[in-house]
């Protein structure tokens, strides 16, 4: 007689142990055999819902995110460009010995306040705006593309460490190339308009070593503005109670400002070589003359560069992050609404 017939005659219910395959998939089932009329009640566990798959955490609309990056970059840099244009002109005129930092800045501010439309249309403003609008646009777009690819690529081929490294290095190199190339055009214009050649009326050729020093300056500025803040942010979080947003704001302000202690002498040396070739001096005398010039002008140039870099990459970086995140959150809310 089979086991099933015996169970029916006794009026009892007896379940045989599940097979290993079934045990793997139904181990969480609850069986309650002691019910009247030989009924079996099986309670299935709730079906899990993968919220991270149903509700997006990052917008999938890459084109709209890139459009927001461009609009944010041009909008934020438009607001900070007047400060940078005034300070850059003052630094060049101070290095040339024609004006002090205060005299040049006051002259530019008075001119800007008396006719703001003409100031916005001037090459002095437009070239400076072009430098930082393209720099911020490049950094924003490359970060967005790297993040988008990292988030939406196949999980089997995803490698966080390598993709983050490539994204950071690629962002740094591309942003530096864009910033350096546009800054060279701007620096050449500013030097010819406000340097010693402007006072003499004879345009001077910019030496290659000056271009090299300006390129070094740009690498240091980009690294301290777009790369180091993310690194310092993690360090601040580990050693303080600040959340990520607060730590990032602190690092975005601190890194560019502290870097000016190294950036200022590099730019000052490049301007000094352009304004004063000093071709007839010996190596020792040339070194001592350059060193004395650095000592005499470091404090004023450092203060001017801090005043310039604070809005350029400090406040500008905070504003760029704020409006960029606001745009992306708006896109994300629209996508979540369409999912509902």
């Amino acid at each position: 007689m089979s086991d099933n017939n015996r169970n029916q005659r006794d009026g009892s219910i007896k379940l045989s142990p599940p097979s290993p395959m079934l045990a793997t998939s139904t181990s969480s089932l609850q069986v309650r055999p002691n019910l009247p009329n030989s009924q079996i009640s099986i309670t299935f566990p709730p079906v899990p819902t993968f919220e991270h798959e149903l509700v997006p955490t990052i917008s999938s609309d890459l084109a709209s995110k890139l459009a927001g990056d461009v609009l944010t970059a041009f909008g934020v840099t438009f607001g900070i460009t007047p400060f940078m244009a005034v300070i850059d002109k003052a630094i060049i005129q101070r290095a040339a010995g024609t004006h002090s930092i205060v005299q040049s800045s006051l002259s530019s501010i008075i001119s800007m306040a008396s006719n703001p439309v003409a100031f916005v249309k001037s090459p002095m403003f437009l070239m400076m705006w072009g430098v930082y609008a393209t720099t911020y646009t490049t950094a924003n777009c490359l970060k967005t593309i790297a993040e988008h690819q990292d988030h939406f690529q196949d999980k089997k081929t995803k490698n966080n460490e390598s993709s983050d490294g490539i994204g950071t290095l690629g962002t740094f190199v591309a942003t530096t190339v864009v910033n350096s190339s546009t800054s060279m055009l701007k620096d050449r214009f500013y030097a010819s308009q406000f340097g010693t050649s402007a006072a003499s009326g004879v345009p001077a050729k910019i030496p290659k070593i000056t271009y090299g020093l300006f390129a070094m300056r740009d690498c240091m500025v980009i690294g301290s503005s777009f790369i180091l803040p993310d690194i310092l942010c993690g360090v601040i979080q580990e050693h303080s109670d600040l959340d990520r947003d607060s730590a990032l704001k602190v690092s975005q302000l601190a890194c560019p400002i502290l870097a000016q202690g190294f950036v200022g002498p590099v730019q000052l040396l490049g301007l000094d070589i352009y304004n004063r070739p000093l071709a007839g001096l010996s190596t020792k005398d040339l070194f001592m003359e350059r060193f004395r010039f650095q000592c005499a002008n470091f404090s004023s140039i450092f203060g001017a560069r801090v005043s310039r870099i604070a809005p350029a990459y400090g406040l500008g970086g905070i504003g760029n992050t704020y409006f960029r995140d606001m745009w992306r959150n708006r896109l994300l809310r629209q996508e979540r609404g369409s999912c509902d």
Side-chain angles (χ1 to χ4, degrees), residues 175-198:
T175 305
T176 302
V177 169
V178 171
N179 180 265
S180 295
S181 58
T182 54
S183 292
M184 292 298 178
L185 298 175
K186 183 264 299 178
D187 289 334
R188 185 169 61 182
F189 171 80
Y190 272 59
S192 62
Q193 293 295 313
F194 311 119
T196 54
S197 61

Side-chain angles (χ1 to χ4, degrees), residues 22-63:
L22 287 176
T24 302
S25 58
T26 62
S27 58
S28 60
L29 299 183
Q30 297 180 4
V31 181
R32 293 161 41 190
N34 298 325
L35 295 175
N37 300 326
S38 301
Q39 295 179 353
I40 299 176
S41 174
I42 301 178
T43 303
F44 290 91
V47 179
T49 59
F50 301 98
E51 185 176 354
H52 66 278
E53 294 182 0
L54 299 178
V55 180
T57 58
I58 181 174
S59 174
S60 60
D61 191 350
L62 179 59

Side-chain angles (χ1 to χ4, degrees), residues 1-2 14 17 44 126 162 171 187 195 197 267 298 308 312 316 340:
M1 182 179 296
S2 65
K14 189 175 183 180
F44 290 91
L126 293 177
S162 62
T171 299
D187 289 334
S197 61
Q267 183 184 19
F298 174 78
R308 177 189 187 279
D340 295 340

Side-chain angles (χ1 to χ4, degrees), residues 1 25 36 61 84 93 125 160 183 197 201 203 222 243 258 279 289 293 321 326:
M1 182 179 296
S25 58
D61 191 350
M84 296 182 291
Q93 289 184 329
F125 175 88
N160 288 328
S183 292
S197 61
I222 295 301
D243 57 15
L258 294 176
E289 183 63 27
F293 183 81
T321 301
M326 186 173 66

Side-chain angles (χ1 to χ4, degrees), residues 77-78 81-82 85 119-130 190:
T77 54
F78 182 86
T81 293
F119 176 79
V120 171
K121 292 181 178 180
S122 67
M124 173 182 168
F125 175 88
L126 293 177
M127 295 195 75
M128 183 68 72
W129 185 28
Y190 272 59

Side-chain angles (χ1 to χ4, degrees), residues 160-229:
N160 288 328
E161 294 183 359
S162 62
S163 63
D164 287 345
I166 293 173
T168 301
L169 178 61
T171 299
F172 172 73
V173 172
T175 305
T176 302
V177 169
V178 171
N179 180 265
S180 295
S181 58
T182 54
S183 292
M184 292 298 178
L185 298 175
K186 183 264 299 178
D187 289 334
R188 185 169 61 182
F189 171 80
Y190 272 59
S192 62
Q193 293 295 313
F194 311 119
T196 54
S197 61
S200 62
V202 180
K205 184 179 178 180
I206 298 179
K208 292 182 180 179
I209 188 172
T210 296
Y211 279 123
L213 290 169
F214 286 170
M216 183 187 301
R217 172 204 63 188
D218 295 335
C219 290
M220 297 167 69
V221 168
I222 295 301
S224 64
S225 303
F226 293 101
I227 306 301
L228 287 182

Side-chain angles (χ1 to χ4, degrees), residues 19-335:
S19 63
M21 183 176 295
L22 287 176
T24 302
S25 58
T26 62
S27 58
S28 60
L29 299 183
Q30 297 180 4
V31 181
R32 293 161 41 190
N34 298 325
L35 295 175
N37 300 326
S38 301
Q39 295 179 353
I40 299 176
S41 174
I42 301 178
T43 303
F44 290 91
V47 179
T49 59
F50 301 98
E51 185 176 354
H52 66 278
E53 294 182 0
L54 299 178
V55 180
T57 58
I58 181 174
S59 174
S60 60
D61 191 350
L62 179 59
S64 296
K65 288 190 291 187
L66 293 177
D69 288 340
V70 175
L71 291 174
T72 298
F74 275 79
V76 169
T77 54
F78 182 86
I80 62 178
T81 293
F83 300 97
M84 296 182 291
V86 169
I87 296 300
D88 248 29
K89 177 184 175 182
I91 290 175
I92 291 177
Q93 289 184 329
R94 176 67 180 88
T98 58
H99 295 73
S100 68
I101 295 293
V102 175
Q103 289 174 341
S104 177
S105 299
L106 287 177
S107 175
S108 298
I109 292 173
I110 292 173
S111 176
M112 178 175 56
S114 61
N115 197 341
V117 175
F119 176 79
V120 171
K121 292 181 178 180
S122 67
M124 173 182 168
F125 175 88
L126 293 177
M127 295 195 75
M128 183 68 72
W129 185 28
V131 169
Y132 288 95
T134 54
T135 299
Y136 271 88
T137 296
T138 303
N140 286 350
C141 291
L142 288 178
K143 285 183 178 180
T144 294
I145 292 172
E147 179 190 56
H148 186 88
Q149 291 178 343
D150 183 70
H151 185 83
F152 291 101
Q153 69 180 330
D154 186 8
K155 294 181 181 179
K156 294 181 180 180
T157 61
K158 188 174 182 178
N159 188 327
N160 288 328
E161 294 183 359
S162 62
S163 63
D164 287 345
I166 293 173
T168 301
L169 178 61
T171 299
F172 172 73
V173 172
T175 305
T176 302
V177 169
V178 171
N179 180 265
S180 295
S181 58
T182 54
S183 292
M184 292 298 178
L185 298 175
K186 183 264 299 178
D187 289 334
R188 185 169 61 182
F189 171 80
Y190 272 59
S192 62
Q193 293 295 313
F194 311 119
T196 54
S197 61
S200 62
V202 180
K205 184 179 178 180
I206 298 179
K208 292 182 180 179
I209 188 172
T210 296
Y211 279 123
L213 290 169
F214 286 170
M216 183 187 301
R217 172 204 63 188
D218 295 335
C219 290
M220 297 167 69
V221 168
I222 295 301
S224 64
S225 303
F226 293 101
I227 306 301
L228 287 182
D230 290 331
I231 299 175
L232 182 61
C233 176
V235 176
I236 293 176
Q237 284 186 276
E238 291 180 0
H239 297 84
S240 68
D241 297 331
L242 295 177
D243 57 15
R244 173 170 173 76
D245 290 339
S246 300
L248 185 59
K249 289 179 181 179
V250 171
S251 60
Q252 284 178 325
L253 281 173
C255 288
I257 292 176
L258 294 176
Q260 299 314 301
F262 305 95
V263 176
V266 173
Q267 183 184 19
L268 188 58
L269 179 60
L271 290 172
D272 188 29
I273 293 174
Y274 169 72
N275 292 321
R276 302 189 308 157
L278 302 179
L281 297 181
S282 63
T283 302
K284 180 181 178 180
D285 293 338
L286 179 64
F287 174 81
M288 293 304 299
E289 183 63 27
R290 300 292 186 200
F291 181 74
R292 282 193 292 266
F293 183 81
Q294 288 278 345
C295 295
N297 294 277
F298 174 78
S299 58
S300 60
I301 296 298
F302 174 77
R305 283 206 60 88
V306 169
S307 301
R308 177 189 187 279
I309 212 69
Y313 290 112
L315 299 178
I318 293 174
N320 179 70
T321 301
Y322 174 80
F323 288 109
R324 186 167 172 258
D325 289 345
M326 186 173 66
W327 178 277
R328 291 152 71 89
N329 290 335
R330 175 177 170 272
L331 293 177
L332 184 58
R333 287 195 300 269
Q334 290 178 349
E335 289 194 12

